[in-house]
Amino acid sequence: MKDISSRKDIEFLMNAFYKDAFVDPKIGIFFTEIAKIDLKEHIPEITDFWEQQLFRTRNYRKNVMQIHKDLNLKKKLDSTHFDTWLTLFHKAVDTNFKGEKADLIKTRALSIITMMRIKIATSH
């Protein structure tokens, strides 16, 4: 298996992740009914986010934390949701990539989820 080395790889990874996330019984509803994500719009944006995390580009301009705080107001996010997201994300990475950047994206995902848990849990 190859490592994540380009925007194209991240885009492939995001498509693989969302394929599972959209149909997951625990978190799928957040994507399909709460946020009503249109993948044609979302994939380029989320690819910008992860490309910035891995390759230090400056293409992502949104506030990812605020987006999830707003989502939490519509439907409460709990530990099960975060754990499921992280499990599916790691599965998508491990199924498709191996190497330094693959490890880095999983580490960043864990850091981001940890911060979201803290900030969302304390934003009542």
Side-chain angles (χ1 to χ4, degrees):
M1 264 193 290
K2 70 182 215 99
D3 198 3
I4 300 168
S5 62
S6 67
R7 178 178 180 85
K8 186 177 172 187
D9 290 341
I10 297 169
E11 193 172 294
F12 178 88
L13 176 61
M14 293 302 104
N15 279 299
F17 167 74
Y18 283 105
K19 181 180 172 203
D20 288 342
F22 265 53
V23 298
D24 184 84
K26 291 181 185 144
I27 65 170
I29 190 171
F30 283 96
F31 302 109
T32 59
E33 295 182 34
I34 310 302
K36 296 181 180 168
I37 289 177
D38 175 350
L39 283 178
K40 286 182 181 168
E41 287 180 21
H42 188 64
I43 293 294
E45 290 176 353
I46 199 66
T47 299
D48 285 347
F49 175 80
W50 287 110
E51 188 178 31
Q52 184 169 296
Q53 295 298 311
L54 292 183
F55 302 115
R56 302 205 181 277
T57 60
R58 300 211 186 272
N59 298 332
Y60 189 77
R61 299 277 184 240
K62 295 185 176 185
N63 181 334
V64 73
M65 190 64 68
Q66 190 60 53
I67 290 168
H68 289 85
K69 283 182 177 182
D70 293 346
L71 188 62
N72 184 60
L73 293 174
K74 294 177 182 178
K75 181 169 173 60
K76 186 90 176 106
L77 290 161
D78 63 31
S79 288
T80 304
H81 302 128
F82 291 118
D83 293 342
T84 301
W85 183 93
L86 192 61
T87 299
L88 291 175
F89 193 85
H90 280 203
K91 178 183 164 221
V93 174
D94 292 340
T95 299
N96 297 289
F97 297 98
K98 182 176 183 157
E100 183 182 325
K101 294 295 186 187
D103 290 341
L104 178 59
I105 202 169
K106 291 189 297 183
T107 300
R108 293 276 164 86
L110 176 60
S111 296
I112 291 163
I113 283 288
T114 301
M115 287 306 301
M116 281 188 185
R117 284 182 203 252
I118 293 165
K119 292 190 179 249
I120 288 173
T122 59
S123 67
H124 299 298

